[in-house]
Amino acid sequence: MRRLALRYRAAWVAVLASAVMGLVALAPHLGHTNTAAPLWSERPVPVAPAAAVLAANWVELTRVLKPAVVNISSRRLEARGAMQNPFGNLSPFGDDERGPRRPRHTVRSMGSGFIINPAGYIVTNNHVVEGATDIRVKIDDGREMAGTVVGRDPKTDLALLKVEETGLPVIPLGDSTQLQVGEPVMAIGNPFGLERTVTTGIVSATGRVIGQGPYDDFIQTDASINPGNSGGPLINGRGQAVGINAAIFSQSGGSVGIGFAIPVNQAKSVVTQLVASGKVTRGWLGVTIQPLTAELAKGFNVTEGTGALVAGVQDGSPAARAGVKAGDIITHYDGQKVATSADLPKLVAATAVGRQVPVTVVREGKKVALNVTVAQMDEPGQPVVAQAEEAKGPLGLTVETVTPSIAKELKLSEPRGVIVRGVRSGSPAENAGIRAGDVITEVDRQAVADAAQMKRALEKHPKGAPVVVMVRRDGTSLYVALAS
């Protein structure tokens, strides 16, 4: 099958040592520490619409806003001979600690950014400045000055820089939640080093999940975004930044009309914390969730396929203390509807640590109201809400009771359940994604301690209804629905 689009970061990378230029391609309160003045303005630019048409006056908006867009160049050291991602990611082929250390050379990256505060605060992408040993910021009047990293947040690909200058022009921030599909937008940046290039288009979609991280919520636009646009603003017809350009889908490395921007409301949360402490603190719930597929919804006897299915609850976590259980379907969090499992991590991450939040779950077909006190996510790799691997559902199984020796081998906490030793080709189990080595601990919401219990549970299962089993795999639990 023909391979579809490749995703590239929109940043421009150049290797100085070889002189070969390459293409380089979340909500707490706002505020500025040590001053009563806000960090940014949200006042629309006072530009009248063009007289001839009822449309944004891009000419005047460009004239007013372009001076606030900056060119960012950075230098970092990398191992010589390491293969480079041409659009700004750190190479997966870095130093091999087991072998001799490679000679290091200087790599130059280029991208965009925009000023949000006259005192010199600049928003850009994390991948534009990550690992940089030197950052230079060039402003509209041609002056170049040193940039300092106030803070970075790799999980949202955002960074806040500071230059020692005052009285700088700014771009006000808008409300990205008010964006409408089809709304006109403008991108300003430095594609391929062509400074302050302006392109226009529309909002093609919102809420896009493109696999960049746990908080994906991208704005999709057909405004031309190319390598070097990373960190530049996406601007609405009122002259407000509603997004930070970050990525493209492309087979050629250039724009094909599919670009992605980080919503500015997510950036407001991040930069507020970065200016206050240089880091981002997120809430933590302590559950593993998975999508509620149509098969699973039927198996759990719920009519609506919305919500996040809890596949596991970590011992001692906020969710465990609040009474959340595996098999619960979280439908509302802090008064907001959880439409899909992707919604929950973003809501939890944006919750202030220590705050008690109402949570509604569906358990055995009934709504249950709980109150969760959100804790702080401490470990760097600890997910706010872990996403369980999804298996597709609808038995052709060969199973064996989990003995103490098997439990020890698999590092299970107790010898309970059955281990899958074989899956018949073309069977409902194979179609559902069950594989050898999986441990089944529940059938139809009932715990199974051994193979005999599993057999009895299956004999009681009503014909025609999907069989819901809980599978333990690689330390993670998930529900799977199998056609019977």
Side-chain angles (χ1 to χ4, degrees), residues 181-270:
V181 175
E183 181 176 336
V185 287
M186 174 174 67
I188 308 178
N190 306 296
F192 306 110
L194 300 171
E195 297 182 358
R196 296 169 191 82
T197 296
V198 177
T199 59
T200 60
I202 63 168
V203 174
S204 304
T206 58
R208 287 294 195 208
V209 176
I210 63 175
Q212 292 290 87
Y215 312 117
D216 278 16
D217 189 26
F218 286 92
I219 302 163
Q220 181 183 331
T221 179
D222 68 349
S224 184
I225 296 174
N226 283 289
N229 274 109
S230 280
L234 187 70
I235 298 167
N236 64 15
R238 292 173 292 283
Q240 300 165 307
V242 289
I244 297 90
N245 301 319
I248 59 174
F249 275 153
S250 176
Q251 293 176 315
S252 63
S255 173
V256 293
I258 305 176
F260 299 96
I262 301 163
V264 77
N265 284 30
Q266 189 178 72
K268 289 177 183 179
S269 165
V270 172

Side-chain angles (χ1 to χ4, degrees), residues 241-424:
V242 289
I244 297 90
N245 301 319
I248 59 174
F249 275 153
S250 176
Q251 293 176 315
S252 63
S255 173
V256 293
I258 305 176
F260 299 96
I262 301 163
V264 77
N265 284 30
Q266 189 178 72
K268 289 177 183 179
S269 165
V270 172
V271 300
T272 298
Q273 295 193 60
L274 292 180
V275 78
S277 63
K279 63 179 182 179
V280 176
T281 299
R282 293 184 170 90
W284 175 62
L285 202 57
V287 295
T288 301
I289 59 173
Q290 67 182 100
L292 183 64
T293 64
E295 294 85 359
L296 286 170
K298 187 176 180 180
F300 278 84
N301 295 317
V302 293
T303 55
E304 293 187 15
T306 60
L309 176 60
V310 178
V313 181
Q314 185 172 325
D315 292 340
S317 67
R321 291 192 293 269
V324 178
K325 299 179 180 180
D328 286 350
I329 300 168
I330 300 176
T331 59
H332 290 81
Y333 177 90
D334 196 19
Q336 299 187 61
K337 184 176 181 179
V338 179
T340 70
S341 60
D343 294 337
L344 189 60
K346 291 174 283 192
L347 294 172
V348 175
T351 305
V353 174
R355 182 164 170 256
Q356 190 176 77
V357 175
V359 176
T360 302
V361 304
V362 175
R363 181 182 298 165
E364 303 292 348
K366 298 179 180 178
K367 290 185 177 181
V368 178
L370 304 171
N371 289 297
V372 180
T373 300
V374 175
Q376 180 175 335
M377 182 175 62
D378 293 320
E379 301 176 17
Q382 177 185 15
V384 177
V385 174
Q387 290 278 0
E389 181 183 346
E390 181 184 2
K392 306 231 179 215
L395 267 173
L397 288 169
T398 302
V399 300
E400 178 185 354
T401 299
V402 174
T403 62
S405 60
I406 292 174
K408 184 177 180 180
E409 176 188 347
L410 298 176
K411 298 180 180 180
L412 300 175
S413 59
E414 57 181 334
R416 183 175 65 89
V418 299
I419 184 171
V420 176
R421 293 301 191 189
V423 182
R424 189 178 69 244

